[in-house]
Amino acid sequence: MPEEIELEMAKIQRLREVLVRRESELRFMMDDIQLCKDIMDLKQELQNLVAIPEKEKTKLQKQREDELIQKIHKLVQKRDFLVDDAEVERLREQEEDKEMADFLRIKLKPLDKVTKSPASSRAEKKAEPPPSKPTVAKTGLALIKDCCGATQCNIM
């Protein structure tokens, strides 16, 4: 039936969207991990320079301190942008999920009436909800926020 084919295509599209989202989340996580690693490396170098008494520092060491502070600041700003971007993406995906759930609900109701006999129980007539977003996705966003973000980690 054309309705069944259309419904199956919608389910396949939904699965594709979930996979694309997961890929995007993994890319966010990889970028976040790399930024945190870079920040840690720079902070370690900065701590080594700060440990030197001010009177014993050369002009080059003082300049390097300033450079490191600027680099760390830029990386933190970049990471903040990454976290903000991930949040905007999450909100957009929530809206898409709602729209897809509404679409599938509308499509499932007419199909349900055609494929089920009137003698079927009410419990059987309930439409199966669309596949939900994997819970791993929320975990990925939480990891991004936990590392140097809203809740301070060991790096910061």
Side-chain angles (χ1 to χ4, degrees), residues 22-147:
R22 183 64 183 141
E23 179 187 18
S24 176
E25 289 167 354
L26 290 172
R27 289 181 192 275
F28 275 126
M29 290 171 62
M30 289 298 296
D31 291 346
D32 183 58
I33 289 168
Q34 185 60 48
L35 284 170
C36 287
K37 183 184 175 297
D38 293 346
I39 291 169
M40 273 193 328
D41 292 345
L42 293 174
K43 285 184 81 171
Q44 182 61 46
E45 187 179 345
L46 181 60
Q47 286 176 349
N48 292 340
L49 286 173
V50 170
I52 300 170
E54 198 64 34
K55 293 179 181 179
E56 297 176 20
K57 287 182 190 174
T58 65
K59 186 175 183 178
L60 187 61
Q61 288 172 322
K62 290 177 183 180
Q63 286 176 339
R64 183 64 182 155
E65 261 185 42
D66 292 338
E67 279 178 35
L68 290 171
I69 291 169
Q70 291 301 317
K71 285 182 180 182
I72 291 170
H73 180 70
K74 285 181 182 179
L75 288 176
V76 169
Q77 285 180 325
K78 189 174 181 180
R79 193 183 171 285
D80 287 346
F81 176 77
L82 180 73
V83 171
D84 290 344
D85 193 36
E87 181 64 15
V88 168
E89 186 71 15
R90 185 188 66 78
L91 293 172
R92 185 187 62 77
E93 289 170 357
Q94 276 182 339
E95 184 63 29
E96 284 178 2
D97 287 347
K98 184 177 180 260
E99 290 172 7
M100 181 57 82
D102 291 344
F103 171 77
L104 288 176
R105 199 173 302 111
I106 291 168
K107 285 293 183 184
L108 286 174
K109 284 183 182 180
L111 185 61
D112 211 23
K113 291 176 185 175
V114 171
T115 58
K116 300 284 182 176
S117 67
S120 297
S121 70
R122 287 191 178 262
E124 291 178 25
K125 286 189 176 183
K126 288 189 177 177
E128 183 179 313
S132 64
K133 186 174 172 183
T135 55
V136 179
K138 291 180 183 173
T139 306
L141 184 60
L143 283 175
I144 290 176
K145 285 186 176 178
D146 285 345
C147 184

